[in-house]
Amino acid sequence: MVLVLVLIMLAAVLAGGLWWKLKNAQLGEVMVRPEPTIASLAKQPAAPSLTPSPIGPHLNGQPTAEANSERAQDSTNNYVIPQKMPRVTGIRHWSSADSSTVVLDLEDQVQYEAHRLSAPDRIYFDLHDTTLAPEIAGKVIDVGDALLAKVRLAQPSSGLTRVVLETRGNSNYSVSLEPNPYRLVVQVRKLGANKTQVSLFPGMPEPEKLAITVPPPTKEDLQLRARVPRMRIVVDAGHGGWDLGTVGRRGLLEKDLVLEIAQRLGKLLESRLGADVILTRNDDNYIPLDERAGIANQSQADLFISVHANYSDLPSARGVETYYTNLFSAPNAKDLEPREKEPREKSSDPDRSRNPTTVTLSPADLHEKIEQSRRLAASVQRSLYGTLATQNPGLRDRGVKAASYVVLTETAMPGILAEVSFVSSPTDEQKLRSDGYREQIAEALYKGIARYAVGSHGVKVASAAK
């Protein structure tokens, strides 16, 4: 009996082990999924290839997460497959007694930025959404004339062609994009040599410009003026002179656009709000960034308004946005010399302000400046989007953002930088060429400033500073 019981127990153990092994095998078949074969992968649709390109001038050349997202998606949130980019196919050069000329041959019209740097002196051009023909990639041309040492071509990132002109200083330059066939013409001239009018798109008719006129103040304007102390406001038109800013696909120059808007805004502030208005520039001249801030500080302005237009390498990117800063870094006399040796911003100039204003802010003053700047930016942003969105369907409200722009960090009063539209958007560029739309932008900026002034009790007024 004992032997029988032992045999029965051994049989039970063996049966249990066999059952457990079969059960694990079944579970393994359910849980483990077969890897896809090469053939099955080939049948799946390929994901679109997205090639990022650098952003334009107003984010210091650093792509942001939001901008990267915009490059990958269009306004309908569908992925965008980039079209074939035009090539830079050739480069030519010739010299004369007073000038040195460089010509880049292009397959199509392109969007570009121009900048000048010092120590060493050089001019460089970034051609967006372009490629270099293999035979000229990395090419260096030793010019060696009185104005130009050499020219270098490179493609630092996908979709961006950079052309660097190593100049010898004491020169001016002009640039034009010529059609039939397309070519970028850069002329470096001796100082004092005759300057020709730059026309980026000679075949394109210029928009008809109307005289900037402001009707007499209405009863409502007079009531508003009575509620606001007399203020001194500095209006800054970005770029100017050799600094073109953003160039639209149909030739609209940011420097010309923002100058007209600034002039219109200045007249509205004078006529309706009774403000004393100071323009950092009233013509096509370049003013270094720190000198713009110095103008505001020396005049003891109450507000600083800088007008710009935006850029993106994605044509569907549109909208308005307004910047303020939470920093203050105005130079004083003791650190002026070291600052002169530092590299300047992308849109800066070798010349420095000869008579910088020494200004200081206490922690309480800085806190007040930041808070007032933020409130001013919010008021202007609401007015810009609310006014323009009704006339320009599809315009985005890109919001209020903080940034460390020199014209904001080196001014002692509340200040903002407004990006009024995207010159790089074909839709917006068409609107911006309209005199009426520019007037609407100036009107929107004015309303935002006026509403802020009425509701603000912490703004220092110019009369109190005298």
Side-chain angles (χ1 to χ4, degrees), residues 56-58 113 200 237-240 243-248 251-261 281 307-311 417-421 423-424 432 438:
H58 301 299
E113 302 170 46
L200 294 183
H239 308 282
D243 185 1
L244 309 178
T246 295
V247 181
L252 179 63
L253 300 184
E254 179 187 357
K255 67 169 185 173
D256 296 336
L257 168 70
V258 297
L259 176 59
E260 182 180 333
I261 292 174
R281 69 178 183 96
V307 184
H308 285 255
N310 222 331
Y311 169 84
L417 186 149
E419 300 276 10
V420 298
S421 279
V423 172
S424 56
L432 292 168
R438 299 182 186 195

Side-chain angles (χ1 to χ4, degrees), residues 10 22 66 70 104 124 185 199 214 262 268 296 303 310 315 345 378:
L10 288 173
L22 293 173
E66 178 183 6
E70 275 196 337
L104 294 173
Y124 73 92
V185 181
S199 177
V214 177
L268 290 173
L303 297 177
N310 222 331
E345 281 198 5

Side-chain angles (χ1 to χ4, degrees), residues 324-330 360-374 408-414:
Y324 73 102
T325 188
N326 52 14
L327 300 173
F328 177 70
S329 58
T360 58
L361 289 181
S362 68
D365 291 336
L366 176 59
H367 180 272
E368 183 69 10
K369 175 197 171 180
I370 294 171
E371 178 61 21
Q372 295 298 333
S373 297
R374 184 190 61 77
L408 299 182
T409 61
E410 294 195 2
T411 45
M413 69 292 305

Side-chain angles (χ1 to χ4, degrees), residues 292-351:
R292 299 170 191 247
I295 291 170
N297 292 333
Q298 290 173 11
S299 63
Q300 296 183 316
D302 304 303
L303 297 177
F304 180 86
I305 313 295
S306 188
V307 184
H308 285 255
N310 222 331
Y311 169 84
S312 171
D313 57 318
L314 189 65
S316 60
R318 301 175 60 202
V320 294
E321 59 191 10
T322 308
Y323 289 88
Y324 73 102
T325 188
N326 52 14
L327 300 173
F328 177 70
S329 58
N332 54 39
K334 68 180 180 181
D335 66 9
L336 176 62
E337 183 176 353
R339 283 175 54 85
E340 287 182 340
K341 297 178 182 178
E342 294 176 359
R344 299 178 57 85
E345 281 198 5
K346 175 170 58 174
S347 57
S348 58
D349 185 85
D351 294 333

Side-chain angles (χ1 to χ4, degrees), residues 192-212:
N194 292 333
K195 180 179 179 180
T196 57
Q197 181 66 32
V198 175
S199 177
L200 294 183
F201 288 76
M204 183 69 63
E206 288 296 319
E208 182 180 354
K209 290 187 177 181
L210 303 177
I212 301 176

